[in-house]
Amino acid sequence: QVQLVESGGGLVQPGGSLRLSCVVSGFPLDYYAIGWFRQAPGKEREGVSADSSTDDTIYYADSVKGRFTISRDNAKNTGYLQMNSLTPEDTAVYYCAAERYGSGSPRPHDYDYWGQGTQVTVSS
């Protein structure tokens, strides 16, 4: 059974850090691009970061460059998103997703499997 389970969200003060995890089951993560997306209330889902499975390409949205870092541990079938210097504008539900033989697209419709999401709230 294919499953992606995010964890690590929560409430953090501005300037703080969180590390999101995405545990994948049902397929080997090695052959999939992994992407992180977020959706704030009243806004469309946007691509935050993505890690290709075919080469070394990594995507970051301009709004998170220099603050967020995507990584994966294929042996653990797990992806990660390290988020530093968080601001209230980063508040959203964060989702991980997997794309078969993916190039690491920032477009949600390119992804095959999705997690349920984890809430990140940045507030003082």
Side-chain angles (χ1 to χ4, degrees):
Q1 181 180 356
V2 172
Q3 197 171 19
L4 284 73
V5 179
E6 302 98 334
S7 63
L11 174 64
V12 63
Q13 291 187 341
S17 298
L18 286 173
R19 188 193 195 202
L20 305 183
S21 299
C22 175
V23 178
V24 174
S25 57
F27 60 88
L29 189 56
D30 314 49
Y31 301 108
Y32 286 73
I34 187 164
W36 287 93
F37 299 81
R38 66 186 180 187
Q39 189 164 18
K43 294 187 176 181
E44 291 187 353
R45 191 168 297 189
E46 65 169 342
V48 174
S49 183
D51 177 26
S52 169
S53 61
T54 59
D55 55 31
D56 293 331
T57 301
I58 291 180
Y59 165 83
Y60 291 105
D62 288 342
S63 58
V64 307
K65 280 181 182 176
R67 300 188 298 122
F68 289 13
T69 303
I70 192 171
S71 62
R72 65 165 76 204
D73 185 337
N74 287 334
K76 295 182 178 180
N77 239 35
T78 301
Y80 303 96
L81 185 68
Q82 177 68 43
M83 306 187 296
N84 299 328
S85 302
L86 287 161
T87 74
E89 289 68 37
D90 295 315
T91 295
V93 178
Y94 283 71
Y95 300 88
C96 68
E99 179 194 7
R100 175 79 167 165
Y101 293 123
S103 60
S105 165
R107 297 182 299 269
H109 68 260
D110 287 334
Y111 285 76
D112 301 292
Y113 303 114
W114 288 83
Q116 294 289 91
T118 184
Q119 176 70 47
V120 171
T121 303
V122 185
S123 175
S124 54

